């Protein structure tokens, strides 16, 4: 049975690093599904930094919109895939379709593939609902949708880790 792990937490809490640490325990094929789009120089610099950190340790698939299909189409023999990150992906979906909700086909495809993934999957997401109430309708919709998406993925996950200052706190399942 393939395992699904969700890693959540605030900005710069160590989520991506922890996901990579887990994935490095796998001796075979490791895939990194990257959701970020290089929309400005700051984001391009972040992407380059993350690519350099992964170097030859992962095969990278760039997929900003349909990560469910990307996971379903992973090469045979893939041992583990990291999806980084769900909240960036959600922003991409909302940018394309302002009225996006959890019934949107890309979200449903992701949730469906998590029922029987082709390999172990580690999903990284941001916890965006613990701060102040956003000041615009769109930002509040994003925060709410991210919360609903995170809940749906956490329900399907075997393990959920909440990152606090670089330390994983297991809130569901066993720590590896």
């Amino acid at each position: 049975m393939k395992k699904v792990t969700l890693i959540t937490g605030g900005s710069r809490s160590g989520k991506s690093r922890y996901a990579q640490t887990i994935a490095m325990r796998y001796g075979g094929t490791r895939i990194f599904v990257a959701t970020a789009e290089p929309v400005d120089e700051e984001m391009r610099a972040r992407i380059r930094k993350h690519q350099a950190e992964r170097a030859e340790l992962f095969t990278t698939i760039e997929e900003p919109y349909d990560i469910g299909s990307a996971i379903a189409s992973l090469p045979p023999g893939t041992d583990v895939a990291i999806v980084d990150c769900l909240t960036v992906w959600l922003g991409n979906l909302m940018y394309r379709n302002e009225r996006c909700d959890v019934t949107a086909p890309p979200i449903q495809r992701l949730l469906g593939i998590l029922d029987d993934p082709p390999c172990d999957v580690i999903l990284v997401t941001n916890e965006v609902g613990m701060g102040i109430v956003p000041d615009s309708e769109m930002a509040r919709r994003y925060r709410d949708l991210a919360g609903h998406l995170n809940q749906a993925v956490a329900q399907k996950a075997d393990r959920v880790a909440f990152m606090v200052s670089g330390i994983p706190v297991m809130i569901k399942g066993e720590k590896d």
Side-chain angles (χ1 to χ4, degrees):
M1 183 93 170
K2 306 301 181 188
K3 291 203 181 310
V4 174
T5 300
L6 178 65
I7 302 171
T8 189
S11 292
R12 301 289 178 237
S13 61
K15 300 177 302 289
S16 296
R17 184 179 61 244
Y18 183 56
Q20 289 182 38
T21 297
I22 294 170
M24 290 306 297
R25 296 178 186 150
Y26 291 77
T29 303
R30 294 179 294 265
I31 303 286
F32 191 95
V33 180
T35 64
E37 291 190 287
V39 295
D40 58 31
E41 185 50 41
E42 186 268 342
M43 185 57 83
R44 283 188 285 278
R46 282 179 183 244
I47 290 170
R48 284 191 301 271
K49 178 181 178 276
H50 283 286
Q51 287 170 335
E53 289 171 354
R54 293 189 307 270
E56 70 284 343
L57 302 173
F58 290 84
T59 298
T60 298
I61 297 172
E62 305 281 346
E63 182 46 66
Y65 301 110
D66 194 356
I67 57 178
S69 293
I71 294 168
S73 302
L74 290 173
T78 299
D79 294 295
V80 63
I82 295 174
V83 176
D84 196 352
C85 96
L86 294 181
T87 43
V88 169
W89 170 65
L90 187 59
N92 296 342
L93 294 179
M94 288 183 72
Y95 181 75
R96 288 180 105 186
N97 178 4
E98 189 174 310
R99 294 293 157 195
C100 179
D101 64 25
V102 292
T103 66
I107 293 174
Q108 289 301 303
R109 271 192 294 281
L110 170 63
L111 295 174
I113 196 69
L114 294 180
D115 287 330
D116 187 23
C119 63
D120 285 4
V121 178
I122 303 166
L123 302 116
V124 176
T125 192
N126 288 288
E127 175 52 61
V128 298
M130 296 176 78
I132 62 172
V133 175
D135 66 348
S136 72
E137 177 190 356
M138 180 171 236
R140 286 188 298 274
R141 285 190 321 97
Y142 172 78
R143 179 217 41 207
D144 293 349
L145 183 53
H148 293 300
L149 174 64
N150 288 346
Q151 287 182 55
V153 173
Q155 287 298 313
K156 292 180 179 286
D158 301 289
R159 297 180 301 186
V160 178
F162 184 71
M163 297 300 295
V164 180
S165 301
I167 299 169
V169 178
M170 296 309 292
I171 57 177
K172 180 180 180 183
E174 301 284 325
K175 187 174 179 181
D176 7 271

